[in-house]
């Protein structure tokens, strides 16, 4: 199959995808070549994101900070309001820098 004019493999087995995208034996390295198509889909400049960045110390800190957003505990109104407030602040900062525009 072709995707963005490149030969592509589509993994449809969730268990295989977990091994490939995880860590340890069977996982692919988060190399620029392997993740470049995902970066191009997620960012107009092809920059890495939280899912495709190298596992540096700063990446680990950011991942730990946002992990609560993917937790079932976010369903509480108090936690959700904090997540929403932080998201709005980040979007405002991104709009201020011109990285994103409001529509």
């Amino acid at each position: 199959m072709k995707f963005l004019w490149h030969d592509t493999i589509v993994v449809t087995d969730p268990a295989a995808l977990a091994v490939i995208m995880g860590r340890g034996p069977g996982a692919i390295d988060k190399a620029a070549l392997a993740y470049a198509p995902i970066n191009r889909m997620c960012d107009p400049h092809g920059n890495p994101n939280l899912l495709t960045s190298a596992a540096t110390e700063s990446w680990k800190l950011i991942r730990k900070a946002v992990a609560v957003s993917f937790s079932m505990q976010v369903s509480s109104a108090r936690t959700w309001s904090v997540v929403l407030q932080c998201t709005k602040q980040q979007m405002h900062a991104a709009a201020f820098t011109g990285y994103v525009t409001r529509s």
Side-chain angles (χ1 to χ4, degrees):
M1 164 178 174
K2 295 277 187 184
F3 181 75
L4 296 175
W5 307 279
H6 297 279
D7 291 327
T8 305
I9 296 173
V10 177
V11 178
T12 58
D13 178 16
L17 186 61
V19 171
I20 293 166
M21 299 301 287
R23 292 191 182 94
I28 60 172
D29 183 24
K30 289 188 176 182
L33 182 61
Y35 282 93
I38 297 170
N39 290 336
R40 287 193 302 266
M41 287 188 305
C42 298
D43 180 84
H45 305 291
N47 295 318
N49 59 52
L50 185 62
L51 300 175
T52 63
S53 299
T56 62
E57 289 304 312
S58 61
W59 174 86
K60 291 176 186 176
L61 290 172
I62 292 169
R63 183 175 177 266
K64 185 176 181 180
V66 301
V68 69
S69 299
F70 299 100
S71 166
M72 294 305 292
Q73 297 170 356
V74 173
S75 61
S76 76
R78 185 178 64 81
T79 306
W80 177 250
S81 65
V82 171
V83 170
L84 186 59
Q85 178 184 0
C86 291
T87 302
K88 286 181 179 180
Q89 289 173 351
Q90 290 299 315
M91 291 304 295
H92 176 73
F96 181 76
T97 61
Y99 188 72
V100 295
T101 57
R102 294 183 177 179
S103 53

